[in-house]
Amino acid sequence: MLRTLLQTSDPASQPFIVSGSGTLGWDFVAANLVERGDDVLVLHTGYFADSFADCFETYGVNATQLKAPIGDRPQLHEIEKALRDKKYKLITVTHVDTSTGVLSDVQALSELVHKVSPETLVIVDGVCSVGCEDIQFDNWGIDVVLTASQKAIGSPAGLCIMMCSKRAIEVFKARETPPSSYFASFKNWLPIMQKYEAKKPSYFATPSPQLIHALHTALTQILARPLSERFAVHKKASQSVKSTITSYGLQQLATKPENQASGMTAVYLPKSVKATELLPNLLQKGVIFAGGLHKDIASKYIRFGHMGVSVTDPSRNDIQKALEALKNGLGDAGYSVR
């Protein structure tokens, strides 16, 4: 099912499902695919690039961040220059940065990397994109997609989910030093995952059966309709949310349409409205919005998630309820919606 969701038919690609959060995926990458002293390029579109880079540094890996202004993403010509100036073992991109709502063009990035620096592995953090954005693992030449069980997949939090390419596994097997983690070691988990897929019992660490069953149910529901339809529904809902927010006189962090994610929207608040007052007000109306996460502007914006069942089951009317609550909440705070 994960192979279908991530659109890989290559039998040499390897899925992993391990108890933990999406953050554990960073540790898997840092502990298995690079070694102390290696150089990696981290494309920065928000908070989660900082954290991924910090994870690499914890393992003694040199992380160079290529940053863009808030609400934007590094441009292809900037990435090409960075790849030509220095050899990187891998490059990471946050497909959708949850802190800013910025969407990156993974297909164009991967094509560039394979052209300019073909030995560099392409690592995609898809925690906020898998299940609501198109990800073509094989066709785009991706080496790792890491994600988690919550968000657009729609099952409870608690599972780290990854898909690794044959090339990524070969890089791991060619390591000169042992993996730099015990729990997050492909040496320990790879044979377990291979036996699971072969429907053979195996054990390294205790899994969470209830979360595995929940993930199976969620994937069954997702794959009951064509993925293209699912992605189109998310995009349509996103455009509706963004259009309505614009009609309220509000501005997104991601101002360029090509940078705007389908599963969430990050919105600047009017200067007269404080998130610390607005968010509890919205909660009283039965709606939960998230506060800002980007350290430079955290108090200036809020985040609106619109993915999964809230989008695919229109009978719930979740999106309209949330927009109406936001409108009324802004009014309560003294801001006159246009």
Side-chain angles (χ1 to χ4, degrees):
M1 286 182 166
L2 284 176
R3 293 179 182 276
T4 302
L5 178 61
L6 294 172
Q7 301 179 70
T8 173
S9 58
D10 185 351
S13 61
Q14 180 61 54
F16 290 80
I17 305 173
V18 180
S19 296
S21 71
T23 304
L24 179 60
W26 296 342
D27 284 270
F28 270 110
V29 171
N32 295 282
L33 300 183
V34 283
E35 302 182 57
R36 182 174 293 274
D38 281 346
D39 294 301
V40 301
L41 182 61
V42 177
L43 302 186
H44 188 289
T45 53
Y47 172 93
F48 290 93
D50 288 326
S51 299
F52 206 164
D54 187 42
C55 179
F56 281 121
E57 296 288 350
T58 300
Y59 286 87
V61 176
N62 303 317
T64 298
Q65 293 198 58
L66 183 58
K67 297 189 175 185
I70 294 174
D72 207 347
R73 64 195 189 199
Q75 301 302 298
L76 290 177
H77 71 273
E78 298 171 324
I79 300 169
E80 179 173 358
K81 182 178 186 304
L83 291 173
R84 292 190 184 280
D85 287 347
K86 191 173 186 178
K87 183 177 180 180
Y88 292 100
K89 186 74 169 287
L90 59 79
I91 184 172
T92 76
V93 58
T94 309
H95 196 185
V96 173
D97 195 296
T98 317
S99 72
T100 58
V102 171
L103 171 71
S104 291
D105 187 341
V106 173
Q107 180 181 9
L109 169 67
S110 187
E111 289 174 355
L112 174 67
V113 174
H114 283 280
K115 181 182 73 173
V116 175
S117 184
E119 294 182 358
T120 300
L121 297 178
V122 178
I123 314 297
V124 178
D125 180 336
V127 169
C128 195
S129 66
V130 172
C132 60
E133 303 282 0
D134 190 17
I135 300 178
Q136 299 183 30
F137 192 86
D138 288 352
N139 291 342
W140 296 353
I142 300 170
D143 291 296
V144 175
V145 170
L146 63 94
T147 189
S149 48
Q150 76 280 12
K151 298 202 174 165
I153 290 179
S155 62
L159 293 177
C160 171
I161 300 167
M162 293 187 302
M163 185 68 70
C164 296
S165 69
K166 176 183 178 182
R167 190 169 75 138
I169 299 300
E170 289 175 344
V171 166
F172 158 70
K173 291 180 177 179
R175 290 180 63 90
E176 296 180 358
T177 59
S180 46
S181 171
Y182 182 69
F183 184 76
S185 169
F186 281 178
K187 177 183 177 182
N188 293 326
W189 281 112
L190 183 58
I192 304 298
M193 294 298 130
Q194 290 173 335
K195 288 182 179 179
Y196 280 173
E197 279 206 285
K199 301 187 184 303
K200 296 179 180 179
S202 192
Y203 173 79
F204 165 60
T206 304
S208 173
Q210 64 271 34
L211 291 180
I212 298 295
H213 281 294
L215 176 63
H216 182 271
T217 298
L219 292 175
T220 299
Q221 293 173 345
I222 288 172
L223 299 176
R225 65 194 299 187
L227 285 174
S228 58
E229 287 185 15
R230 181 178 179 86
F231 300 144
V233 166
H234 276 83
K235 190 172 186 63
K236 182 178 179 180
S238 177
Q239 291 172 339
S240 177
V241 167
K242 290 166 171 57
S243 174
T244 302
I245 284 174
T246 299
S247 75
Y248 290 172
L250 304 178
Q251 182 180 348
Q252 296 178 59
L253 272 65
T255 56
K256 300 176 183 176
E258 65 269 23
N259 291 351
Q260 295 170 356
S262 295
M264 66 160 294
T265 305
V267 188
Y268 281 113
L269 292 173
K271 292 182 180 180
S272 61
V273 177
K274 295 181 179 180
T276 52
E277 297 175 357
L278 176 63
L279 294 176
N281 178 288
L282 294 175
L283 181 58
Q284 291 178 353
K285 300 180 189 300
V287 177
I288 298 176
F289 280 70
L293 194 57
H294 195 294
K295 63 183 180 180
D296 294 338
I297 55 169
S299 64
K300 298 180 179 179
Y301 75 105
I302 59 174
R303 295 172 296 144
F304 181 178
H306 36 82
M307 62 181 74
V309 68
S310 64
V311 170
T312 59
D313 183 0
S315 67
R316 295 170 58 98
N317 205 31
D318 291 335
I319 303 300
Q320 289 306 314
K321 289 177 182 176
L323 289 170
E324 189 65 22
L326 177 59
K327 179 180 179 180
N328 293 334
L330 290 169
D332 294 344
Y335 174 76
S336 179
V337 173
R338 293 176 184 173

PDB file of all heavy atoms in Angstrom, residues 42-55:
ATOM      1  N   VAL A  42      21.069  21.289   2.805  1.00  0.00           N
ATOM      2  CA  VAL A  42      19.702  21.338   3.319  1.00  0.00           C
ATOM      3  C   VAL A  42      19.004  22.561   2.737  1.00  0.00           C
ATOM      4  O   VAL A  42      19.411  23.697   3.002  1.00  0.00           O
ATOM      5  CB  VAL A  42      19.688  21.398   4.858  1.00  0.00           C
ATOM      6  CG1 VAL A  42      18.256  21.522   5.383  1.00  0.00           C
ATOM      7  CG2 VAL A  42      20.377  20.169   5.449  1.00  0.00           C
ATOM      8  N   LEU A  43      17.971  22.339   1.944  1.00  0.00           N
ATOM      9  CA  LEU A  43      17.210  23.448   1.375  1.00  0.00           C
ATOM     10  C   LEU A  43      16.239  23.975   2.433  1.00  0.00           C
ATOM     11  O   LEU A  43      15.458  23.209   3.001  1.00  0.00           O
ATOM     12  CB  LEU A  43      16.460  23.002   0.122  1.00  0.00           C
ATOM     13  CG  LEU A  43      17.332  22.420  -0.991  1.00  0.00           C
ATOM     14  CD1 LEU A  43      16.480  22.142  -2.233  1.00  0.00           C
ATOM     15  CD2 LEU A  43      18.485  23.347  -1.343  1.00  0.00           C
ATOM     16  N   HIS A  44      16.281  25.266   2.671  1.00  0.00           N
ATOM     17  CA  HIS A  44      15.575  25.877   3.799  1.00  0.00           C
ATOM     18  C   HIS A  44      14.342  26.634   3.328  1.00  0.00           C
ATOM     19  O   HIS A  44      14.431  27.593   2.582  1.00  0.00           O
ATOM     20  CB  HIS A  44      16.519  26.827   4.537  1.00  0.00           C
ATOM     21  CG  HIS A  44      15.979  27.382   5.813  1.00  0.00           C
ATOM     22  ND1 HIS A  44      14.972  28.317   5.839  1.00  0.00           N
ATOM     23  CD2 HIS A  44      16.303  27.147   7.101  1.00  0.00           C
ATOM     24  CE1 HIS A  44      14.704  28.623   7.096  1.00  0.00           C
ATOM     25  NE2 HIS A  44      15.488  27.934   7.879  1.00  0.00           N
ATOM     26  N   THR A  45      13.166  26.160   3.807  1.00  0.00           N
ATOM     27  CA  THR A  45      11.923  26.899   3.562  1.00  0.00           C
ATOM     28  C   THR A  45      11.176  27.157   4.867  1.00  0.00           C
ATOM     29  O   THR A  45      10.014  27.548   4.843  1.00  0.00           O
ATOM     30  CB  THR A  45      11.005  26.125   2.592  1.00  0.00           C
ATOM     31  OG1 THR A  45      10.812  24.785   3.073  1.00  0.00           O
ATOM     32  CG2 THR A  45      11.606  26.083   1.191  1.00  0.00           C
ATOM     33  N   GLY A  46      11.856  26.911   6.000  1.00  0.00           N
ATOM     34  CA  GLY A  46      11.210  27.160   7.285  1.00  0.00           C
ATOM     35  C   GLY A  46      11.862  26.398   8.418  1.00  0.00           C
ATOM     36  O   GLY A  46      12.980  25.880   8.312  1.00  0.00           O
ATOM     37  N   TYR A  47      11.124  26.288   9.482  1.00  0.00           N
ATOM     38  CA  TYR A  47      11.571  25.721  10.757  1.00  0.00           C
ATOM     39  C   TYR A  47      12.185  24.335  10.601  1.00  0.00           C
ATOM     40  O   TYR A  47      13.183  24.000  11.259  1.00  0.00           O
ATOM     41  CB  TYR A  47      10.363  25.669  11.702  1.00  0.00           C
ATOM     42  CG  TYR A  47      10.564  24.950  13.009  1.00  0.00           C
ATOM     43  CD1 TYR A  47      10.952  25.638  14.160  1.00  0.00           C
ATOM     44  CD2 TYR A  47      10.326  23.577  13.116  1.00  0.00           C
ATOM     45  CE1 TYR A  47      11.114  24.977  15.375  1.00  0.00           C
ATOM     46  CE2 TYR A  47      10.475  22.909  14.318  1.00  0.00           C
ATOM     47  CZ  TYR A  47      10.869  23.609  15.433  1.00  0.00           C
ATOM     48  OH  TYR A  47      11.027  22.960  16.620  1.00  0.00           O
ATOM     49  N   PHE A  48      11.593  23.510   9.773  1.00  0.00           N
ATOM     50  CA  PHE A  48      11.996  22.101   9.743  1.00  0.00           C
ATOM     51  C   PHE A  48      13.324  21.874   9.040  1.00  0.00           C
ATOM     52  O   PHE A  48      13.966  20.841   9.268  1.00  0.00           O
ATOM     53  CB  PHE A  48      10.863  21.248   9.171  1.00  0.00           C
ATOM     54  CG  PHE A  48       9.701  21.182  10.118  1.00  0.00           C
ATOM     55  CD1 PHE A  48       8.653  22.077  10.006  1.00  0.00           C
ATOM     56  CD2 PHE A  48       9.689  20.285  11.163  1.00  0.00           C
ATOM     57  CE1 PHE A  48       7.599  22.068  10.901  1.00  0.00           C
ATOM     58  CE2 PHE A  48       8.648  20.261  12.069  1.00  0.00           C
ATOM     59  CZ  PHE A  48       7.598  21.153  11.947  1.00  0.00           C
ATOM     60  N   ALA A  49      13.758  22.799   8.225  1.00  0.00           N
ATOM     61  CA  ALA A  49      15.109  22.695   7.666  1.00  0.00           C
ATOM     62  C   ALA A  49      16.139  22.954   8.755  1.00  0.00           C
ATOM     63  O   ALA A  49      17.171  22.275   8.824  1.00  0.00           O
ATOM     64  CB  ALA A  49      15.280  23.692   6.519  1.00  0.00           C
ATOM     65  N   ASP A  50      15.874  23.935   9.617  1.00  0.00           N
ATOM     66  CA  ASP A  50      16.772  24.196  10.743  1.00  0.00           C
ATOM     67  C   ASP A  50      16.929  22.944  11.596  1.00  0.00           C
ATOM     68  O   ASP A  50      18.032  22.584  12.014  1.00  0.00           O
ATOM     69  CB  ASP A  50      16.231  25.337  11.617  1.00  0.00           C
ATOM     70  CG  ASP A  50      16.339  26.707  10.954  1.00  0.00           C
ATOM     71  OD1 ASP A  50      17.315  26.928  10.208  1.00  0.00           O
ATOM     72  OD2 ASP A  50      15.470  27.549  11.193  1.00  0.00           O
ATOM     73  N   SER A  51      15.814  22.273  11.860  1.00  0.00           N
ATOM     74  CA  SER A  51      15.831  21.097  12.722  1.00  0.00           C
ATOM     75  C   SER A  51      16.539  19.918  12.057  1.00  0.00           C
ATOM     76  O   SER A  51      17.297  19.182  12.705  1.00  0.00           O
ATOM     77  CB  SER A  51      14.396  20.708  13.090  1.00  0.00           C
ATOM     78  OG  SER A  51      13.757  21.749  13.786  1.00  0.00           O
ATOM     79  N   PHE A  52      16.300  19.725  10.770  1.00  0.00           N
ATOM     80  CA  PHE A  52      16.972  18.637  10.050  1.00  0.00           C
ATOM     81  C   PHE A  52      18.480  18.885  10.042  1.00  0.00           C
ATOM     82  O   PHE A  52      19.283  17.967  10.261  1.00  0.00           O
ATOM     83  CB  PHE A  52      16.425  18.542   8.627  1.00  0.00           C
ATOM     84  CG  PHE A  52      16.542  17.179   7.985  1.00  0.00           C
ATOM     85  CD1 PHE A  52      15.804  16.872   6.834  1.00  0.00           C
ATOM     86  CD2 PHE A  52      17.367  16.187   8.499  1.00  0.00           C
ATOM     87  CE1 PHE A  52      15.891  15.619   6.231  1.00  0.00           C
ATOM     88  CE2 PHE A  52      17.459  14.930   7.908  1.00  0.00           C
ATOM     89  CZ  PHE A  52      16.714  14.662   6.774  1.00  0.00           C
ATOM     90  N   ALA A  53      18.868  20.126   9.808  1.00  0.00           N
ATOM     91  CA  ALA A  53      20.292  20.468   9.824  1.00  0.00           C
ATOM     92  C   ALA A  53      20.898  20.206  11.202  1.00  0.00           C
ATOM     93  O   ALA A  53      22.021  19.687  11.326  1.00  0.00           O
ATOM     94  CB  ALA A  53      20.485  21.929   9.427  1.00  0.00           C
ATOM     95  N   ASP A  54      20.157  20.549  12.246  1.00  0.00           N
ATOM     96  CA  ASP A  54      20.620  20.307  13.608  1.00  0.00           C
ATOM     97  C   ASP A  54      20.796  18.820  13.860  1.00  0.00           C
ATOM     98  O   ASP A  54      21.743  18.385  14.528  1.00  0.00           O
ATOM     99  CB  ASP A  54      19.623  20.913  14.599  1.00  0.00           C
ATOM    100  CG  ASP A  54      20.125  20.854  16.035  1.00  0.00           C
ATOM    101  OD1 ASP A  54      21.317  21.130  16.267  1.00  0.00           O
ATOM    102  OD2 ASP A  54      19.316  20.537  16.922  1.00  0.00           O
ATOM    103  N   CYS A  55      19.887  18.016  13.316  1.00  0.00           N
ATOM    104  CA  CYS A  55      20.000  16.565  13.440  1.00  0.00           C
ATOM    105  C   CYS A  55      21.295  16.065  12.799  1.00  0.00           C
ATOM    106  O   CYS A  55      22.036  15.272  13.394  1.00  0.00           O
ATOM    107  CB  CYS A  55      18.792  15.889  12.804  1.00  0.00           C
ATOM    108  SG  CYS A  55      18.828  14.075  12.855  1.00  0.00           S
TER     109      CYS A  55
END
